[in-house]
Amino acid sequence: MSSTARNASNQNIFKSMKDIDLTSREVSHQCGVTMNDSVEARAIAEFMEENDPKVTITYNPATIRIDGEGKLIFKMSEITEYLGREMTAETFEVNTSTHYGRMVRVDDDTVILFGDMNEVMEYI
């Protein structure tokens, strides 16, 4: 386990039920993806953490969560360079077990997750 993974494992982005206000009408603009733990997923998580200060990474025993505010942009060419071997949008989707927010595959190089549904309207 890398030092990045070890340090990030101590983070917890989830609230306890006692801390959740179910009467609030506030809209969250968070989005995120849960990936099966793999070499590719770890590289994606470490790359996103280094390049987007709004990203939170949570390492679980078999999965890795990548959470962000507003939108998360995954550029396959940049991840390929970081990983040292080709990363395609198809491989990205295979490693993804679930996501929240609206996922849009813009082209063969770019996958974007939107937390703000108004922003995704230009792609619909």
Side-chain angles (χ1 to χ4, degrees):
M1 180 182 285
S2 71
S3 60
T4 303
R6 194 174 302 105
N7 293 339
S9 296
N10 296 325
Q11 297 178 9
N12 186 0
I13 64 164
F14 305 106
K15 292 182 180 179
S16 170
M17 281 305 293
K18 66 180 175 47
D19 297 328
I20 296 175
D21 178 11
L22 298 175
T23 63
S24 172
R25 303 296 291 169
E26 186 177 321
V27 175
S28 165
H29 291 293
Q30 288 190 295
C31 56
V33 62
T34 300
M35 305 189 90
N36 299 314
D37 193 356
S38 66
V39 172
E40 292 85 0
R42 285 182 179 268
I44 292 167
E46 289 178 10
F47 175 79
M48 293 299 289
E49 187 172 43
E50 288 177 15
N51 291 284
D52 188 341
K54 298 181 292 183
V55 166
T56 301
I57 308 297
T58 306
Y59 293 86
N60 298 308
T63 62
I64 300 171
R65 282 187 57 123
I66 303 171
D67 297 287
E69 184 74 27
K71 67 182 164 187
L72 293 172
I73 302 172
F74 297 91
K75 298 289 271 182
M76 299 307 122
S77 57
E78 294 173 354
I79 295 168
T80 291
E81 187 175 322
Y82 187 84
L83 180 60
R85 65 175 186 251
E86 185 178 24
M87 171 59 68
T88 64
E90 291 83 7
T91 304
F92 176 84
E93 290 174 10
V94 166
N95 280 281
T96 301
S97 61
T98 189
H99 71 276
Y100 67 102
R102 177 75 69 178
M103 183 183 284
V104 175
R105 183 170 165 181
V106 177
D107 54 36
D108 287 341
D109 189 54
T110 310
V111 176
I112 304 176
L113 276 164
F114 292 91
D116 183 347
M117 295 303 122
N118 292 321
E119 272 194 77
V120 80
M121 295 307 284
E122 73 179 84
Y123 297 97
I124 294 178

